[in-house]
Amino acid sequence: MFVSDFRKEFYEVVQSQRVLLFVASDVDALCACKILQALFQCDHVQYTLVPVSGWQELETSFLEHKEQIKLLIKQDDDLEVPAYEDIFRDEEEDEEHSGNDSDGSEPSEKRTRLEEEIVEETMRRRQRREWEARRRDILFDYEQYEYHGTSSAMVMFELAWMLSKDLNDMLWWAIVGLTDQWVQDKITQMKYVTDVGVLQRHVSRHNHRNEDEENTLSVDCTRISFEYDLRLALYQHWSLHDSLCNTSYTAARFKLWSVHGQKRLQEFLADMGLPLKQVKQKFQAMDISLKENLREMIEESANKFGMKDMRVQTFSIHFGFKHKFLASDVVFATMSLMESPERDGSGTDHFIQALDSLSRSNLDKLYHGLELAKKQLRATQQTIASCLCTNLVISQGPFLYCSLMEGTPDVVLFSRPASLSLLSKHLLKSFVCSTKNRRCKLLPLVMAAPLSVEHGTVTVVGIPPETDSSDRKNFFGRAFEKAAESTSSRMLHNHFDLSVIELKAEDRSKFLDALISLLS
């Protein structure tokens, strides 16, 4: 169902109903859910929240509640794509009638009119061919590739703004939802900057205060600010050294998996004039004199070492004077809570923990998520170093391939789709920085990791090529389907991200052979 007016065709329709809310297991979906929950609370809308991690859970949950569900969509007949004749009026009959009304004109006039009609008919046929060709291209592009649009949390915030019910908390959730898309490389840099500009105007509107006693902020209030900050993961809650070593951008540029890369990192720190004792202790404990100009110092030295994008547009939030978080900090923490390999709870428990961590009343859960995120980032860089040093990334012709074996350290951390996708993207960036083969720099990556030893299954993910002009369109969803069909491989396309599948380990060889021949 296509919704053109989100307020009238969606919210006002469900406002008077009891709502069944399915929420996917990703940070953007959680943020959209938090905004909807706040709106429902404002309007006293009853709802049931059901977390779903894939198509199977969605179908099962739907069947459980189907007796209570009222479908609010039109019949399929009303949703058909209009035909060419319905869009472009064919004037052939009108011209024939106008020709019959002529009163015996001269032969030369008839010949001229006939020539004009032939030219017009030719032009109409050409327009029709062009329209049909363009339609085929659009449909092929839509069905062949997978890509992401505007953040769901941003869409929900726009709804809240239209309803004049937008709050600072809702704005922060929209920011986190957008940042999740950027952290996971789902959107282009241009799209990210454009959406940041939209949210920046809302931040100015919500957080603008005049410098007088009547408008001063209380000590424990929430303040959101826009800033150009460092492209370093969790650096304000970690040591600067650990953040530099475990951020994908810096680790790939320095090539920290090699001895030469470690030397370059030492040279980088020396160029900034930062003592190792200061760099290796917690950021909060560093000398204030060093922290004051730290961003400018790092950016200046980063430019010398070929890292031109060391600072990025982002947002931060303050809870009083003590607690400050960047949007990317919250993304990493929430993602780690949701995909935690800890056995002390079910997937639903992890979902609820992640959802709760987005509320300012549960900062203890957010800090716990930050600790889990540090472990995840360390494991990611260690796994990347292992893959590159042991040459596990191999060229299969039309794509690169890497497989994590059972027993690999921390392999359990990468059995979940989002964690494996992020590892694959970071591995591809690092491989592109390390290889001298120009052709391999332009290849996509297919990566596999053990999912269940008991069931003999692996998770397979496909990542598009890493290029500056990349439009983030992923073609692996359809390719995986066709490769599995042609070889009768036992595959489960359960995840909402079509480029992630579950595959029987026994069928992996024939599946890859089919994929190679399909993409060659």
Side-chain angles (χ1 to χ4, degrees):
M1 178 179 180
F2 294 99
V3 178
S4 56
D5 189 328
F6 217 63
R7 178 177 179 173
K8 290 182 179 179
E9 297 179 20
F10 167 67
Y11 193 73
E12 290 181 2
V13 173
V14 302
Q15 193 173 0
S16 58
Q17 310 284 334
R18 181 180 177 88
V19 179
L20 178 61
L21 190 58
F22 294 113
V23 185
S25 298
D26 70 72
V27 179
D28 182 32
L30 288 182
C31 293
C33 172
K34 292 291 287 185
I35 296 172
L36 263 181
Q37 282 181 309
L39 287 175
F40 288 163
Q41 190 174 359
C42 284
D43 294 318
H44 307 289
V45 177
Q46 291 184 322
Y47 66 92
T48 301
L49 176 61
V50 181
V52 289
S53 61
W55 293 108
Q56 284 188 338
E57 282 190 13
L58 179 60
E59 183 181 2
T60 304
S61 301
F62 177 81
L63 292 175
E64 285 177 5
H65 299 87
K66 70 176 183 179
E67 300 299 329
Q68 306 170 24
I69 293 175
K70 177 183 177 183
L71 293 179
L72 301 171
I73 60 174
K74 298 179 181 179
Q75 294 297 320
D76 290 343
D77 293 342
D78 298 331
L79 297 174
E80 288 182 353
V81 177
Y84 178 89
E85 291 79 6
D86 298 329
I87 299 175
F88 298 97
R89 180 167 162 260
D90 194 345
E91 299 178 349
E92 186 175 350
E93 292 184 3
D94 294 341
E95 291 175 355
E96 288 179 359
H97 289 313
S98 63
N100 292 335
D101 293 339
S102 60
D103 52 353
S105 304
E106 293 295 325
S108 58
E109 293 179 4
K110 289 183 178 180
R111 191 162 50 250
T112 303
R113 189 166 60 251
L114 182 61
E115 290 173 354
E116 290 175 354
E117 290 175 359
I118 292 172
V119 171
E120 289 177 6
E121 179 64 22
T122 304
M123 291 298 295
R124 272 200 304 275
R125 287 177 179 174
R126 181 183 298 173
Q127 287 177 349
R128 178 166 183 158
R129 284 196 301 271
E130 290 174 354
W131 180 85
E132 289 176 345
R134 192 164 65 251
R135 182 176 183 272
R136 280 196 303 271
D137 290 342
I138 291 171
L139 288 175
F140 177 83
D141 189 57
Y142 180 77
E143 294 171 355
Q144 189 77 5
Y145 298 102
E146 178 188 18
Y147 48 91
H148 294 81
T150 302
S151 157
S152 301
M154 277 192 68
V155 174
M156 290 299 117
F157 179 75
E158 290 291 330
L159 172 64
W161 180 51
M162 285 189 285
L163 295 168
S164 299
K165 295 176 182 176
D166 53 317
L167 303 171
N168 227 16
D169 285 337
M170 295 183 185
L171 176 56
W172 177 245
W173 293 326
I175 289 168
V176 173
L178 170 62
T179 307
D180 173 56
Q181 287 192 317
W182 179 74
V183 165
Q184 298 203 54
D185 229 13
K186 292 180 176 178
I187 54 175
T188 62
Q189 184 69 18
M190 183 60 70
K191 172 68 174 169
Y192 173 71
V193 171
T194 303
D195 287 348
V196 162
V198 173
L199 291 175
Q200 188 182 354
R201 291 191 288 273
H202 290 294
V203 167
S204 301
R205 180 170 56 86
H206 273 278
N207 296 271
H208 176 70
R209 293 289 187 277
N210 294 322
E211 296 297 328
D212 56 46
E213 293 183 2
E214 293 182 2
N215 290 299
T216 53
L217 297 170
S218 62
V219 173
D220 61 345
C221 76
T222 300
R223 303 190 310 279
I224 302 173
S225 56
F226 169 81
E227 51 191 73
Y228 282 91
D229 214 310
L230 296 173
R231 194 173 183 172
L232 295 176
L234 310 181
Y235 79 95
Q236 294 183 9
H237 308 277
W238 216 349
S239 71
L240 190 60
H241 185 270
D242 282 336
S243 183
L244 283 165
C245 290
N246 295 294
T247 297
S248 168
Y249 180 72
T250 49
R253 296 304 188 281
F254 284 129
K255 303 177 185 176
L256 292 178
W257 53 86
S258 64
V259 176
H260 178 66
Q262 293 291 335
K263 287 181 179 178
R264 288 196 73 205
L265 176 60
Q266 299 301 324
E267 292 170 6
F268 176 74
L269 295 173
D271 186 77
M272 288 191 294
L274 293 176
L276 278 177
K277 184 180 178 181
Q278 292 287 330
V279 172
K280 291 190 175 183
Q281 66 180 346
K282 277 199 168 183
F283 179 81
Q284 298 296 340
M286 287 180 68
D287 287 348
I288 296 177
S289 58
L290 292 175
K291 287 198 289 186
E292 282 179 351
N293 299 315
L294 183 66
R295 293 174 182 82
E296 289 74 16
M297 290 164 59
I298 290 180
E299 185 177 28
E300 184 180 346
S301 295
N303 286 331
K304 296 177 185 177
F305 282 76
M307 294 181 287
K308 305 294 184 184
D309 304 318
M310 198 62 186
R311 291 178 77 172
V312 293
Q313 298 179 34
T314 187
F315 298 90
S316 64
I317 191 167
H318 297 254
F319 299 121
F321 291 116
K322 185 178 180 182
H323 308 285
K324 178 187 177 183
F325 304 95
L326 292 176
S328 58
D329 297 341
V330 179
V331 169
F332 282 119
T334 307
M335 193 190 311
S336 298
L337 284 170
M338 195 157 41
E339 301 223 325
S340 171
E342 295 175 357
R343 303 296 182 185
D344 57 349
S346 64
T348 303
D349 293 334
H350 292 154
F351 176 92
I352 293 170
Q353 271 200 338
L355 192 65
D356 288 345
S357 72
L358 292 170
S359 300
R360 54 180 163 173
S361 57
N362 293 309
L363 291 181
D364 55 333
K365 292 183 179 178
L366 184 58
Y367 279 114
H368 176 56
L370 289 173
E371 294 306 312
L372 291 177
K374 292 174 187 177
K375 293 179 183 177
Q376 184 81 31
L377 288 169
R378 277 200 190 99
T380 298
Q381 290 307 318
Q382 288 169 3
T383 304
I384 289 172
S386 175
C387 291
L388 294 176
C389 292
T390 56
N391 297 318
L392 286 181
V393 182
I394 55 176
S395 174
Q396 293 282 14
F399 59 86
L400 302 169
Y401 176 68
C402 179
S403 176
L404 298 181
M405 306 303 295
E406 184 64 39
T408 305
D410 301 313
V411 71
V412 68
L413 293 173
F414 306 112
S415 60
R416 301 293 295 272
S419 302
L420 182 59
S421 295
L422 205 56
L423 169 66
S424 304
K425 289 169 183 175
H426 291 177
L427 175 59
L428 184 57
K429 289 177 191 291
S430 298
F431 180 80
V432 166
C433 289
S434 66
T435 186
K436 295 179 180 178
N437 189 322
R438 291 185 180 179
R439 181 178 173 277
C440 286
K441 288 178 184 284
L442 304 175
L443 294 178
L445 172 68
V446 174
M447 190 164 189
L451 176 61
S452 170
V453 179
E454 183 183 349
H455 296 101
T457 55
V458 294
T459 303
V460 180
V461 60
I463 305 298
E466 179 62 33
T467 57
D468 294 335
S469 59
S470 175
D471 54 8
R472 303 295 186 270
K473 289 185 178 180
N474 196 325
F475 56 84
F476 275 110
R478 289 292 294 273
F480 285 165
E481 283 181 9
K482 291 181 178 179
E485 285 174 10
S486 63
T487 57
S488 301
S489 298
R490 289 162 291 178
M491 179 196 76
L492 181 61
H493 228 147
N494 183 44
H495 198 257
F496 294 124
D497 188 342
L498 297 178
S499 60
V500 179
I501 62 169
E502 296 174 21
L503 184 70
K504 278 287 185 181
E506 302 166 1
D507 298 337
R508 183 168 16 180
S509 295
K510 63 179 182 180
F511 173 81
L512 287 173
D513 289 341
L515 194 61
I516 292 168
S517 62
L518 184 68
L519 297 177
S520 294

